[in-house]
Coordinates of all heavy atoms in Angstrom, one line a residue:
L17 N 41.0 89.7 49.2 CA 41.9 89.8 48.1 C 41.2 90.0 46.8 O 41.2 89.2 45.9 CB 42.7 88.4 48.0 CG 43.4 88.0 49.3 CD1 44.1 86.6 49.1 CD2 44.5 89.0 49.6
H18 N 40.5 91.2 46.7 CA 39.7 91.5 45.5 C 40.6 91.6 44.3 O 41.7 92.1 44.3 CB 39.0 92.9 45.7 CG 38.1 92.9 46.8 ND1 36.9 92.1 46.9 CD2 38.1 93.6 48.0 CE1 36.3 92.4 48.0 NE2 37.0 93.2 48.7
A19 N 40.0 91.1 43.2 CA 40.7 91.1 41.9 C 40.8 92.5 41.3 O 41.7 92.9 40.6 CB 40.0 90.2 40.9
D20 N 39.8 93.4 41.7 CA 39.8 94.7 41.1 C 40.3 95.8 42.1 O 40.2 96.9 41.8 CB 38.3 95.0 40.7 CG 37.4 95.0 41.9 OD1 37.8 94.5 43.0 OD2 36.2 95.4 41.7
D21 N 40.9 95.4 43.1 CA 41.4 96.3 44.1 C 42.9 96.7 43.7 O 43.8 96.1 44.0 CB 41.4 95.7 45.5 CG 41.7 96.7 46.6 OD1 42.1 97.8 46.3 OD2 41.4 96.4 47.8
H22 N 43.0 97.9 43.1 CA 44.3 98.4 42.6 C 45.2 98.8 43.7 O 46.4 98.7 43.6 CB 44.1 99.5 41.6 CG 43.3 99.1 40.4 ND1 43.9 98.3 39.5 CD2 42.1 99.5 39.9 CE1 43.0 98.1 38.5 NE2 41.9 98.8 38.8
E23 N 44.6 99.2 44.8 CA 45.4 99.5 46.0 C 46.2 98.3 46.5 O 47.4 98.4 46.8 CB 44.5 100.1 47.1 CG 45.3 100.4 48.4 CD 44.4 100.9 49.5 OE1 43.4 101.6 49.2 OE2 44.7 100.6 50.6
H24 N 45.6 97.2 46.5 CA 46.3 96.0 47.0 C 47.3 95.6 46.0 O 48.4 95.1 46.4 CB 45.3 94.8 47.1 CG 44.8 94.6 48.5 ND1 43.5 94.1 48.8 CD2 45.3 94.9 49.7 CE1 43.4 94.1 50.1 NE2 44.4 94.6 50.7
V25 N 47.1 95.7 44.7 CA 48.0 95.3 43.7 C 49.3 96.2 43.8 O 50.4 95.7 43.7 CB 47.4 95.3 42.3 CG1 48.5 95.1 41.2 CG2 46.3 94.3 42.1
D26 N 49.1 97.5 44.0 CA 50.2 98.4 44.2 C 51.0 98.1 45.4 O 52.2 98.2 45.4 CB 49.7 99.9 44.1 CG 49.1 100.3 42.8 OD1 49.4 99.6 41.8 OD2 48.4 101.2 42.8
K27 N 50.3 97.8 46.5 CA 50.9 97.6 47.8 C 51.6 96.3 47.9 O 52.6 96.2 48.6 CB 49.8 97.8 48.9 CG 50.4 97.9 50.3 CD 49.3 98.3 51.3 CE 49.9 98.5 52.6 NZ 48.9 98.9 53.6
Y28 N 51.0 95.2 47.3 CA 51.5 93.9 47.4 C 51.7 93.3 46.0 O 50.8 92.7 45.5 CB 50.6 93.0 48.2 CG 50.1 93.6 49.5 CD1 48.7 93.9 49.6 CD2 50.9 93.8 50.6 CE1 48.2 94.4 50.7 CE2 50.4 94.3 51.7 CZ 49.1 94.6 51.8 OH 48.5 95.2 53.0
P29 N 52.8 93.6 45.3 CA 52.9 93.1 43.9 C 52.7 91.6 43.7 O 52.3 91.2 42.6 CB 54.4 93.5 43.6 CG 54.8 94.6 44.6 CD 54.0 94.3 45.8
Q30 N 53.0 90.8 44.7 CA 52.9 89.3 44.5 C 51.4 88.9 44.6 O 51.1 87.7 44.4 CB 53.7 88.6 45.6 CG 55.1 88.7 45.5 CD 55.6 90.1 46.1 OE1 54.9 90.8 46.7 NE2 56.9 90.4 45.9
I31 N 50.5 89.8 45.0 CA 49.1 89.4 45.3 C 48.5 88.7 44.1 O 47.6 87.9 44.2 CB 48.3 90.6 45.8 CG1 47.1 90.1 46.5 CG2 47.9 91.5 44.7 CD1 46.4 91.1 47.4
R32 N 48.8 89.2 42.8 CA 48.2 88.5 41.7 C 48.5 87.1 41.6 O 47.7 86.2 41.3 CB 48.7 89.2 40.4 CG 48.1 90.6 40.3 CD 48.6 91.3 39.0 NE 48.1 92.7 39.0 CZ 48.2 93.5 38.0 NH1 48.8 93.1 36.9 NH2 47.8 94.7 38.1
F33 N 49.8 86.7 41.8 CA 50.2 85.3 41.8 C 49.6 84.5 42.9 O 49.1 83.4 42.8 CB 51.7 85.2 41.8 CG 52.4 86.0 40.7 CD1 53.2 87.1 41.1 CD2 52.2 85.7 39.4 CE1 53.8 87.8 40.1 CE2 52.9 86.4 38.4 CZ 53.7 87.5 38.8
V34 N 49.7 85.1 44.1 CA 49.1 84.5 45.3 C 47.6 84.2 45.1 O 47.1 83.2 45.4 CB 49.4 85.3 46.6 CG1 48.6 84.8 47.8 CG2 50.9 85.3 46.8
R35 N 46.9 85.3 44.7 CA 45.5 85.2 44.5 C 45.1 84.1 43.5 O 44.2 83.3 43.7 CB 44.9 86.5 44.1 CG 43.4 86.5 44.0 CD 42.8 87.9 43.7 NE 43.5 88.6 42.7 CZ 44.0 89.9 42.8 NH1 43.8 90.5 43.9 NH2 44.6 90.5 41.9
S36 N 45.9 84.0 42.4 CA 45.7 83.0 41.4 C 45.8 81.6 42.0 O 45.0 80.7 41.8 CB 46.6 83.2 40.2 OG 46.5 82.1 39.4
D37 N 46.9 81.4 42.8 CA 47.1 80.1 43.4 C 46.1 79.8 44.5 O 45.6 78.6 44.6 CB 48.5 80.0 44.0 CG 49.6 79.9 43.0 OD1 49.3 79.5 41.8 OD2 50.8 80.2 43.3
L38 N 45.7 80.8 45.2 CA 44.6 80.5 46.2 C 43.3 80.2 45.6 O 42.5 79.3 46.1 CB 44.5 81.7 47.2 CG 45.7 82.0 48.1 CD1 45.4 83.3 48.9 CD2 46.0 80.9 49.0
H39 N 43.0 80.8 44.4 CA 41.8 80.4 43.7 C 41.9 79.0 43.3 O 40.9 78.3 43.3 CB 41.6 81.3 42.5 CG 40.8 82.6 42.7 ND1 39.5 82.6 43.0 CD2 41.2 83.9 42.8 CE1 39.1 83.8 43.2 NE2 40.1 84.6 43.1
R40 N 43.0 78.5 42.8 CA 43.2 77.1 42.4 C 43.0 76.2 43.6 O 42.3 75.1 43.5 CB 44.6 76.9 41.8 CG 44.7 77.6 40.4 CD 46.1 77.5 39.8 NE 46.8 76.3 40.0 CZ 48.1 76.2 40.1 NH1 48.8 77.3 40.1 NH2 48.7 75.0 40.2
V41 N 43.5 76.5 44.8 CA 43.3 75.7 46.0 C 41.8 75.7 46.3 O 41.2 74.6 46.5 CB 44.1 76.3 47.2 CG1 43.7 75.6 48.5 CG2 45.6 76.2 46.9
A42 N 41.1 76.8 46.3 CA 39.7 76.8 46.6 C 38.9 76.1 45.6 O 37.9 75.3 46.0 CB 39.2 78.3 46.7
K43 N 39.2 76.2 44.3 CA 38.5 75.5 43.3 C 38.5 74.0 43.5 O 37.5 73.3 43.2 CB 39.0 75.9 41.9 CG 38.3 75.3 40.8 CD 38.9 75.7 39.4 CE 38.1 75.1 38.3 NZ 38.7 75.5 37.0
V44 N 39.7 73.5 43.9 CA 39.8 72.0 44.1 C 39.1 71.6 45.4 O 38.4 70.5 45.4 CB 41.3 71.6 44.2 CG1 41.5 70.2 44.7 CG2 42.0 71.8 42.9
L45 N 39.1 72.4 46.5 CA 38.6 71.9 47.8 C 37.2 72.2 48.0 O 36.5 71.5 48.7 CB 39.5 72.5 48.9 CG 40.9 72.1 48.9 CD1 41.7 72.8 50.0 CD2 41.0 70.6 49.1
K46 N 36.7 73.3 47.5 CA 35.3 73.7 47.8 C 34.2 72.7 47.5 O 33.3 72.5 48.3 CB 34.9 75.1 47.1 CG 35.3 76.3 48.0 CD 34.9 77.5 47.3 CE 33.4 77.6 47.2 NZ 32.9 78.9 46.6
P47 N 34.3 71.9 46.4 CA 33.3 70.9 46.2 C 33.1 69.9 47.3 O 32.1 69.2 47.4 CB 33.7 70.3 44.9 CG 34.5 71.3 44.2 CD 35.2 72.0 45.3
Y48 N 34.2 69.7 48.1 CA 34.1 68.7 49.2 C 33.7 69.3 50.5 O 33.8 68.6 51.5 CB 35.5 68.1 49.3 CG 36.0 67.4 48.0 CD1 36.7 68.1 47.1 CD2 35.6 66.2 47.7 CE1 37.1 67.6 45.9 CE2 35.9 65.6 46.5 CZ 36.7 66.3 45.6 OH 37.0 65.7 44.4
C49 N 33.3 70.6 50.5 CA 33.1 71.3 51.8 C 31.8 72.0 51.9 O 31.6 73.0 52.5 CB 34.2 72.3 52.0 SG 35.8 71.6 52.1
S50 N 30.7 71.5 51.3 CA 29.5 72.2 51.2 C 28.8 72.4 52.5 O 28.1 73.4 52.7 CB 28.5 71.4 50.3 OG 28.3 70.1 50.8
D51 N 29.1 71.6 53.5 CA 28.4 71.7 54.8 C 29.2 72.6 55.8 O 28.7 72.8 56.9 CB 28.3 70.3 55.5 CG 27.3 69.4 54.7 OD1 26.5 69.9 53.9 OD2 27.5 68.2 54.9
S52 N 30.3 73.2 55.4 CA 31.1 73.9 56.3 C 31.0 75.4 56.2 O 31.6 76.2 57.0 CB 32.6 73.6 56.1 OG 32.8 72.2 56.3
A53 N 30.2 75.9 55.3 CA 30.1 77.4 55.0 C 29.7 78.2 56.3 O 30.1 79.3 56.5 CB 29.2 77.7 53.9

């Protein structure tokens, strides 16, 4: 879900909102998951 991928933005208009929400989920959870990469 690249931020700079215009093809995705054109194909999936909701991707900007979804990507923003997914970033928020990752930002909250990643600090608790350092050993799982």
Side-chain angles (χ1 to χ4, degrees):
L17 304 176
H18 298 295
D20 59 349
D21 191 345
H22 297 293
E23 179 183 323
H24 266 154
V25 173
D26 293 341
K27 193 170 185 178
Y28 317 109
Q30 294 80 9
I31 200 165
R32 291 179 184 187
F33 306 114
V34 170
R35 187 174 42 231
S36 173
D37 287 342
L38 293 178
H39 272 291
R40 289 175 40 212
V41 170
K43 183 178 178 182
V44 169
L45 296 175
K46 270 182 67 175
Y48 301 93
C49 299
S50 59
D51 296 337
S52 300

